[in-house]
Amino acid sequence: TLCLIADNAGRELIPDVLLVAHLLEHGRIERAVLHVKPYPYYVSDATTADVIDALRRLVRAPGEAAGYGRRLWEAMTDGRLDVRAHPFSCAPLPYADMPDDLRTEIGGAALTVLKGDLNYRRLVGDRWWAPTTPFADVTGYFPGPVAALRTLKSDVVTGLEGRTEAALDGAEGRRWRTGGTHALIQVRP
């Protein structure tokens, strides 16, 4: 099982569901749980209605996209794709404080992928870490393997090598942390 904790609706949600479709189609996962918000915490947050809209758009799209859309509908019907909207996703709390039911669900996944800057900040505690603080140390509490994908839009960052931080600071000052021009993919098995 893959848990994917989505971020934004619209153009960001389509690649999320296409990733799930690809992984299911190629046997990389048997099941996916797509976590969205029960309501928008921020204006662009993905909700269940947005997932349904994304799948409808895919089914009506030309070419391969329509096939992916049909396969995703089938996956929702037969239980290989589950869309969840847990109230915790709108709570102003770090993932370290997630409730037991969510902790159990995520702990049973082969991998949980968190998307977006806010999910990243909640994952690492939204603290001013030294950028070289190991990602694995900060996320050690998380109940299973975790991957974070984010565009940097806040000062919060972990897991960088010292020379990477120095090069970015030297080239851009501190703007690289908040300008949305850099991204991270970090994994803790």
Side-chain angles (χ1 to χ4, degrees), residues 143-184:
V146 63
L149 304 130
R150 67 157 321 202
T151 300
L152 280 74
K153 297 177 188 172
S154 69
D155 284 312
V156 178
V157 64
T158 68
L160 295 184
E161 294 181 2
R163 68 177 185 260
T164 301
E165 178 191 12
L168 289 168
D169 282 346
E172 301 181 39
R174 299 183 66 86
R175 187 181 186 298
W176 64 269
R177 292 176 179 235
T178 59
T181 57
H182 292 78
L184 287 174

mmCIF file of all heavy atoms in Angstrom, residues 143-184:
data_model
loop_
_atom_site.group_PDB
_atom_site.id
_atom_site.type_symbol
_atom_site.label_atom_id
_atom_site.label_comp_id
_atom_site.label_asym_id
_atom_site.label_seq_id
_atom_site.Cartn_x
_atom_site.Cartn_y
_atom_site.Cartn_z
ATOM 1 N N PRO A 143 5.570 6.823 11.553
ATOM 2 C CA PRO A 143 5.317 5.399 11.765
ATOM 3 C C PRO A 143 5.678 4.458 10.618
ATOM 4 O O PRO A 143 5.390 3.263 10.699
ATOM 5 C CB PRO A 143 3.812 5.355 12.040
ATOM 6 C CG PRO A 143 3.262 6.532 11.330
ATOM 7 C CD PRO A 143 4.333 7.591 11.439
ATOM 8 N N GLY A 144 6.295 4.941 9.582
ATOM 9 C CA GLY A 144 6.693 4.076 8.477
ATOM 10 C C GLY A 144 7.606 4.825 7.536
ATOM 11 O O GLY A 144 7.937 5.993 7.761
ATOM 12 N N PRO A 145 8.029 4.161 6.463
ATOM 13 C CA PRO A 145 8.860 4.840 5.470
ATOM 14 C C PRO A 145 8.138 6.063 4.904
ATOM 15 O O PRO A 145 6.931 6.025 4.665
ATOM 16 C CB PRO A 145 9.059 3.774 4.389
ATOM 17 C CG PRO A 145 8.817 2.469 5.088
ATOM 18 C CD PRO A 145 7.782 2.760 6.127
ATOM 19 N N VAL A 146 8.899 7.132 4.701
ATOM 20 C CA VAL A 146 8.286 8.386 4.271
ATOM 21 C C VAL A 146 9.150 9.064 3.213
ATOM 22 O O VAL A 146 10.383 9.004 3.268
ATOM 23 C CB VAL A 146 8.040 9.326 5.480
ATOM 24 C CG1 VAL A 146 9.340 9.727 6.161
ATOM 25 C CG2 VAL A 146 7.220 10.534 5.098
ATOM 26 N N ALA A 147 8.469 9.678 2.251
ATOM 27 C CA ALA A 147 9.125 10.500 1.239
ATOM 28 C C ALA A 147 8.412 11.848 1.212
ATOM 29 O O ALA A 147 7.176 11.904 1.288
ATOM 30 C CB ALA A 147 9.051 9.844 -0.134
ATOM 31 N N ALA A 148 9.183 12.903 1.129
ATOM 32 C CA ALA A 148 8.613 14.253 1.064
ATOM 33 C C ALA A 148 9.020 14.888 -0.255
ATOM 34 O O ALA A 148 10.194 14.843 -0.635
ATOM 35 C CB ALA A 148 9.120 15.094 2.234
ATOM 36 N N LEU A 149 8.036 15.468 -0.941
ATOM 37 C CA LEU A 149 8.265 16.185 -2.193
ATOM 38 C C LEU A 149 7.736 17.594 -1.997
ATOM 39 O O LEU A 149 6.547 17.768 -1.716
ATOM 40 C CB LEU A 149 7.500 15.528 -3.345
ATOM 41 C CG LEU A 149 7.799 14.070 -3.565
ATOM 42 C CD1 LEU A 149 6.518 13.272 -3.663
ATOM 43 C CD2 LEU A 149 8.605 13.908 -4.813
ATOM 44 N N ARG A 150 8.602 18.576 -2.125
ATOM 45 C CA ARG A 150 8.133 19.937 -1.901
ATOM 46 C C ARG A 150 8.943 20.952 -2.672
ATOM 47 O O ARG A 150 10.128 20.764 -2.946
ATOM 48 C CB ARG A 150 8.194 20.277 -0.422
ATOM 49 C CG ARG A 150 9.643 20.332 0.021
ATOM 50 C CD ARG A 150 10.128 21.043 1.164
ATOM 51 N NE ARG A 150 9.727 22.286 1.634
ATOM 52 C CZ ARG A 150 10.524 23.010 2.411
ATOM 53 N NH1 ARG A 150 11.722 22.585 2.750
ATOM 54 N NH2 ARG A 150 10.124 24.161 2.859
ATOM 55 N N THR A 151 8.277 22.039 -3.011
ATOM 56 C CA THR A 151 8.930 23.242 -3.499
ATOM 57 C C THR A 151 9.165 24.109 -2.276
ATOM 58 O O THR A 151 8.249 24.292 -1.469
ATOM 59 C CB THR A 151 8.031 23.969 -4.525
ATOM 60 O OG1 THR A 151 7.781 23.079 -5.613
ATOM 61 C CG2 THR A 151 8.696 25.229 -5.028
ATOM 62 N N LEU A 152 10.374 24.626 -2.136
ATOM 63 C CA LEU A 152 10.712 25.411 -0.949
ATOM 64 C C LEU A 152 10.014 26.769 -0.998
ATOM 65 O O LEU A 152 10.267 27.570 -1.894
ATOM 66 C CB LEU A 152 12.219 25.609 -0.836
ATOM 67 C CG LEU A 152 12.988 24.424 -0.252
ATOM 68 C CD1 LEU A 152 13.099 23.281 -1.229
ATOM 69 C CD2 LEU A 152 14.333 24.866 0.222
ATOM 70 N N LYS A 153 9.135 26.981 -0.014
ATOM 71 C CA LYS A 153 8.403 28.235 0.111
ATOM 72 C C LYS A 153 8.434 28.749 1.533
ATOM 73 O O LYS A 153 7.689 29.658 1.894
ATOM 74 C CB LYS A 153 6.953 28.042 -0.339
ATOM 75 C CG LYS A 153 6.817 27.652 -1.796
ATOM 76 C CD LYS A 153 5.372 27.403 -2.128
ATOM 77 C CE LYS A 153 5.231 26.827 -3.515
ATOM 78 N NZ LYS A 153 3.854 26.394 -3.778
ATOM 79 N N SER A 154 9.269 28.135 2.375
ATOM 80 C CA SER A 154 9.413 28.570 3.764
ATOM 81 C C SER A 154 10.858 28.329 4.191
ATOM 82 O O SER A 154 11.600 27.605 3.519
ATOM 83 C CB SER A 154 8.462 27.790 4.674
ATOM 84 O OG SER A 154 8.854 26.438 4.770
ATOM 85 N N ASP A 155 11.246 28.914 5.300
ATOM 86 C CA ASP A 155 12.619 28.779 5.791
ATOM 87 C C ASP A 155 12.942 27.389 6.319
ATOM 88 O O ASP A 155 14.099 27.065 6.531
ATOM 89 C CB ASP A 155 12.886 29.800 6.902
ATOM 90 C CG ASP A 155 13.095 31.191 6.348
ATOM 91 O OD1 ASP A 155 13.872 31.328 5.396
ATOM 92 O OD2 ASP A 155 12.487 32.133 6.888
ATOM 93 N N VAL A 156 11.945 26.577 6.546
ATOM 94 C CA VAL A 156 12.145 25.251 7.136
ATOM 95 C C VAL A 156 12.782 24.319 6.105
ATOM 96 O O VAL A 156 12.241 24.110 5.022
ATOM 97 C CB VAL A 156 10.805 24.658 7.617
ATOM 98 C CG1 VAL A 156 11.009 23.266 8.186
ATOM 99 C CG2 VAL A 156 10.157 25.576 8.633
ATOM 100 N N VAL A 157 13.953 23.764 6.476
ATOM 101 C CA VAL A 157 14.629 22.806 5.588
ATOM 102 C C VAL A 157 15.560 21.942 6.425
ATOM 103 O O VAL A 157 16.164 22.404 7.390
ATOM 104 C CB VAL A 157 15.390 23.517 4.442
ATOM 105 C CG1 VAL A 157 16.510 24.381 4.956
ATOM 106 C CG2 VAL A 157 15.878 22.533 3.407
ATOM 107 N N THR A 158 15.631 20.676 6.065
ATOM 108 C CA THR A 158 16.546 19.731 6.707
ATOM 109 C C THR A 158 17.219 18.910 5.625
ATOM 110 O O THR A 158 16.825 18.933 4.460
ATOM 111 C CB THR A 158 15.804 18.768 7.666
ATOM 112 O OG1 THR A 158 14.962 17.905 6.896
ATOM 113 C CG2 THR A 158 14.991 19.508 8.701
ATOM 114 N N GLY A 159 18.232 18.155 6.028
ATOM 115 C CA GLY A 159 18.818 17.146 5.156
ATOM 116 C C GLY A 159 19.757 17.622 4.070
ATOM 117 O O GLY A 159 20.109 16.837 3.183
ATOM 118 N N LEU A 160 20.193 18.854 4.105
ATOM 119 C CA LEU A 160 21.125 19.332 3.082
ATOM 120 C C LEU A 160 22.567 19.043 3.498
ATOM 121 O O LEU A 160 22.879 19.004 4.689
ATOM 122 C CB LEU A 160 20.977 20.835 2.864
ATOM 123 C CG LEU A 160 19.662 21.350 2.302
ATOM 124 C CD1 LEU A 160 19.764 22.851 2.060
ATOM 125 C CD2 LEU A 160 19.264 20.625 1.039
ATOM 126 N N GLU A 161 23.413 18.875 2.518
ATOM 127 C CA GLU A 161 24.847 18.816 2.784
ATOM 128 C C GLU A 161 25.334 20.247 2.990
ATOM 129 O O GLU A 161 24.794 21.191 2.404
ATOM 130 C CB GLU A 161 25.571 18.161 1.620
ATOM 131 C CG GLU A 161 25.220 16.696 1.445
ATOM 132 C CD GLU A 161 25.971 16.054 0.291
ATOM 133 O OE1 GLU A 161 26.803 16.730 -0.357
ATOM 134 O OE2 GLU A 161 25.714 14.866 0.051
ATOM 135 N N GLY A 162 26.344 20.406 3.815
ATOM 136 C CA GLY A 162 26.877 21.732 4.110
ATOM 137 C C GLY A 162 27.299 22.489 2.868
ATOM 138 O O GLY A 162 27.040 23.699 2.752
ATOM 139 N N ARG A 163 27.915 21.807 1.921
ATOM 140 C CA ARG A 163 28.372 22.508 0.700
ATOM 141 C C ARG A 163 27.194 22.964 -0.159
ATOM 142 O O ARG A 163 27.267 23.994 -0.829
ATOM 143 C CB ARG A 163 29.346 21.646 -0.088
ATOM 144 C CG ARG A 163 28.768 20.423 -0.714
ATOM 145 C CD ARG A 163 29.852 19.680 -1.536
ATOM 146 N NE ARG A 163 29.274 18.581 -2.233
ATOM 147 C CZ ARG A 163 29.328 17.314 -1.839
ATOM 148 N NH1 ARG A 163 29.985 16.994 -0.735
ATOM 149 N NH2 ARG A 163 28.764 16.371 -2.553
ATOM 150 N N THR A 164 26.076 22.226 -0.129
ATOM 151 C CA THR A 164 24.888 22.640 -0.869
ATOM 152 C C THR A 164 24.298 23.896 -0.256
ATOM 153 O O THR A 164 23.984 24.860 -0.958
ATOM 154 C CB THR A 164 23.834 21.514 -0.882
ATOM 155 O OG1 THR A 164 24.405 20.357 -1.482
ATOM 156 C CG2 THR A 164 22.583 21.923 -1.643
ATOM 157 N N GLU A 165 24.184 23.900 1.065
ATOM 158 C CA GLU A 165 23.682 25.095 1.750
ATOM 159 C C GLU A 165 24.573 26.298 1.461
ATOM 160 O O GLU A 165 24.085 27.388 1.138
ATOM 161 C CB GLU A 165 23.591 24.848 3.253
ATOM 162 C CG GLU A 165 23.132 26.077 4.017
ATOM 163 C CD GLU A 165 23.289 25.943 5.519
ATOM 164 O OE1 GLU A 165 23.945 25.003 5.994
ATOM 165 O OE2 GLU A 165 22.748 26.820 6.214
ATOM 166 N N ALA A 166 25.876 26.115 1.559
ATOM 167 C CA ALA A 166 26.813 27.217 1.325
ATOM 168 C C ALA A 166 26.708 27.744 -0.107
ATOM 169 O O ALA A 166 26.716 28.958 -0.329
ATOM 170 C CB ALA A 166 28.243 26.767 1.626
ATOM 171 N N ALA A 167 26.593 26.835 -1.079
ATOM 172 C CA ALA A 167 26.480 27.254 -2.476
ATOM 173 C C ALA A 167 25.190 28.039 -2.707
ATOM 174 O O ALA A 167 25.196 29.071 -3.391
ATOM 175 C CB ALA A 167 26.535 26.037 -3.394
ATOM 176 N N LEU A 168 24.092 27.563 -2.143
ATOM 177 C CA LEU A 168 22.816 28.271 -2.310
ATOM 178 C C LEU A 168 22.843 29.623 -1.621
ATOM 179 O O LEU A 168 22.406 30.626 -2.193
ATOM 180 C CB LEU A 168 21.669 27.408 -1.782
ATOM 181 C CG LEU A 168 21.332 26.179 -2.622
ATOM 182 C CD1 LEU A 168 20.396 25.245 -1.859
ATOM 183 C CD2 LEU A 168 20.721 26.592 -3.951
ATOM 184 N N ASP A 169 23.357 29.664 -0.389
ATOM 185 C CA ASP A 169 23.455 30.938 0.327
ATOM 186 C C ASP A 169 24.351 31.912 -0.428
ATOM 187 O O ASP A 169 24.039 33.103 -0.526
ATOM 188 C CB ASP A 169 24.000 30.734 1.742
ATOM 189 C CG ASP A 169 22.967 30.215 2.725
ATOM 190 O OD1 ASP A 169 21.755 30.256 2.412
ATOM 191 O OD2 ASP A 169 23.370 29.753 3.815
ATOM 192 N N GLY A 170 25.470 31.412 -0.974
ATOM 193 C CA GLY A 170 26.398 32.273 -1.704
ATOM 194 C C GLY A 170 25.809 32.808 -2.990
ATOM 195 O O GLY A 170 26.062 33.957 -3.365
ATOM 196 N N ALA A 171 25.012 32.013 -3.667
ATOM 197 C CA ALA A 171 24.450 32.422 -4.946
ATOM 198 C C ALA A 171 23.196 33.292 -4.793
ATOM 199 O O ALA A 171 22.961 34.180 -5.617
ATOM 200 C CB ALA A 171 24.109 31.191 -5.781
ATOM 201 N N GLU A 172 22.406 33.024 -3.749
ATOM 202 C CA GLU A 172 21.096 33.674 -3.669
ATOM 203 C C GLU A 172 20.789 34.321 -2.328
ATOM 204 O O GLU A 172 19.676 34.812 -2.127
ATOM 205 C CB GLU A 172 19.997 32.642 -3.948
ATOM 206 C CG GLU A 172 20.101 31.985 -5.291
ATOM 207 C CD GLU A 172 18.981 30.989 -5.529
ATOM 208 O OE1 GLU A 172 17.829 31.277 -5.127
ATOM 209 O OE2 GLU A 172 19.253 29.942 -6.110
ATOM 210 N N GLY A 173 21.722 34.285 -1.397
ATOM 211 C CA GLY A 173 21.372 34.726 -0.050
ATOM 212 C C GLY A 173 20.392 33.724 0.538
ATOM 213 O O GLY A 173 20.511 32.533 0.313
ATOM 214 N N ARG A 174 19.413 34.197 1.244
ATOM 215 C CA ARG A 174 18.424 33.278 1.845
ATOM 216 C C ARG A 174 17.190 33.083 0.964
ATOM 217 O O ARG A 174 16.290 32.331 1.309
ATOM 218 C CB ARG A 174 18.021 33.788 3.219
ATOM 219 C CG ARG A 174 19.235 33.853 4.164
ATOM 220 C CD ARG A 174 18.842 34.273 5.535
ATOM 221 N NE ARG A 174 17.997 33.297 6.174
ATOM 222 C CZ ARG A 174 18.452 32.245 6.862
ATOM 223 N NH1 ARG A 174 19.729 32.036 6.964
ATOM 224 N NH2 ARG A 174 17.615 31.423 7.441
ATOM 225 N N ARG A 175 17.133 33.745 -0.180
ATOM 226 C CA ARG A 175 15.955 33.678 -1.048
ATOM 227 C C ARG A 175 15.649 32.260 -1.517
ATOM 228 O O ARG A 175 14.502 31.909 -1.738
ATOM 229 C CB ARG A 175 16.136 34.604 -2.244
ATOM 230 C CG ARG A 175 14.894 34.704 -3.097
ATOM 231 C CD ARG A 175 15.079 35.613 -4.295
ATOM 232 N NE ARG A 175 13.891 35.834 -5.062
ATOM 233 C CZ ARG A 175 13.202 34.906 -5.704
ATOM 234 N NH1 ARG A 175 13.584 33.652 -5.668
ATOM 235 N NH2 ARG A 175 12.122 35.198 -6.400
ATOM 236 N N TRP A 176 16.647 31.406 -1.647
ATOM 237 C CA TRP A 176 16.422 30.042 -2.138
ATOM 238 C C TRP A 176 15.469 29.271 -1.241
ATOM 239 O O TRP A 176 14.789 28.343 -1.678
ATOM 240 C CB TRP A 176 17.749 29.286 -2.291
ATOM 241 C CG TRP A 176 18.500 29.050 -1.002
ATOM 242 C CD1 TRP A 176 19.445 29.858 -0.436
ATOM 243 C CD2 TRP A 176 18.362 27.922 -0.130
ATOM 244 N NE1 TRP A 176 19.898 29.314 0.734
ATOM 245 C CE2 TRP A 176 19.261 28.119 0.951
ATOM 246 C CE3 TRP A 176 17.585 26.764 -0.142
ATOM 247 C CZ2 TRP A 176 19.397 27.204 1.997
ATOM 248 C CZ3 TRP A 176 17.721 25.861 0.894
ATOM 249 C CH2 TRP A 176 18.621 26.084 1.947
ATOM 250 N N ARG A 177 15.397 29.654 0.026
ATOM 251 C CA ARG A 177 14.531 28.936 0.976
ATOM 252 C C ARG A 177 13.050 29.248 0.771
ATOM 253 O O ARG A 177 12.209 28.431 1.103
ATOM 254 C CB ARG A 177 14.890 29.326 2.413
ATOM 255 C CG ARG A 177 16.233 28.854 2.869
ATOM 256 C CD ARG A 177 16.474 29.402 4.273
ATOM 257 N NE ARG A 177 17.752 28.963 4.790
ATOM 258 C CZ ARG A 177 17.903 28.337 5.939
ATOM 259 N NH1 ARG A 177 16.859 28.080 6.699
ATOM 260 N NH2 ARG A 177 19.086 27.978 6.348
ATOM 261 N N THR A 178 12.729 30.416 0.282
ATOM 262 C CA THR A 178 11.330 30.858 0.250
ATOM 263 C C THR A 178 10.818 31.239 -1.127
ATOM 264 O O THR A 178 9.624 31.477 -1.292
ATOM 265 C CB THR A 178 11.138 32.074 1.173
ATOM 266 O OG1 THR A 178 11.997 33.137 0.733
ATOM 267 C CG2 THR A 178 11.440 31.734 2.622
ATOM 268 N N GLY A 179 11.668 31.301 -2.117
ATOM 269 C CA GLY A 179 11.289 31.836 -3.421
ATOM 270 C C GLY A 179 10.526 30.893 -4.326
ATOM 271 O O GLY A 179 10.058 31.305 -5.389
ATOM 272 N N GLY A 180 10.398 29.624 -3.962
ATOM 273 C CA GLY A 180 9.692 28.678 -4.809
ATOM 274 C C GLY A 180 10.462 28.263 -6.049
ATOM 275 O O GLY A 180 9.897 27.706 -6.981
ATOM 276 N N THR A 181 11.781 28.550 -6.060
ATOM 277 C CA THR A 181 12.605 28.217 -7.229
ATOM 278 C C THR A 181 13.407 26.927 -7.043
ATOM 279 O O THR A 181 14.069 26.480 -7.973
ATOM 280 C CB THR A 181 13.587 29.364 -7.533
ATOM 281 O OG1 THR A 181 14.383 29.607 -6.369
ATOM 282 C CG2 THR A 181 12.836 30.629 -7.932
ATOM 283 N N HIS A 182 13.364 26.355 -5.853
ATOM 284 C CA HIS A 182 14.083 25.117 -5.561
ATOM 285 C C HIS A 182 13.121 24.107 -4.952
ATOM 286 O O HIS A 182 12.117 24.479 -4.352
ATOM 287 C CB HIS A 182 15.253 25.383 -4.599
ATOM 288 C CG HIS A 182 16.336 26.198 -5.211
ATOM 289 N ND1 HIS A 182 16.245 27.568 -5.361
ATOM 290 C CD2 HIS A 182 17.519 25.846 -5.728
ATOM 291 C CE1 HIS A 182 17.340 28.012 -5.935
ATOM 292 N NE2 HIS A 182 18.136 26.992 -6.169
ATOM 293 N N ALA A 183 13.464 22.851 -5.113
ATOM 294 C CA ALA A 183 12.606 21.785 -4.600
ATOM 295 C C ALA A 183 13.460 20.707 -3.943
ATOM 296 O O ALA A 183 14.667 20.623 -4.181
ATOM 297 C CB ALA A 183 11.774 21.191 -5.730
ATOM 298 N N LEU A 184 12.800 19.900 -3.137
ATOM 299 C CA LEU A 184 13.466 18.788 -2.456
ATOM 300 C C LEU A 184 12.656 17.515 -2.633
ATOM 301 O O LEU A 184 11.424 17.545 -2.615
ATOM 302 C CB LEU A 184 13.559 19.039 -0.955
ATOM 303 C CG LEU A 184 14.535 20.062 -0.429
ATOM 304 C CD1 LEU A 184 14.343 20.240 1.066
ATOM 305 C CD2 LEU A 184 15.959 19.632 -0.713
#
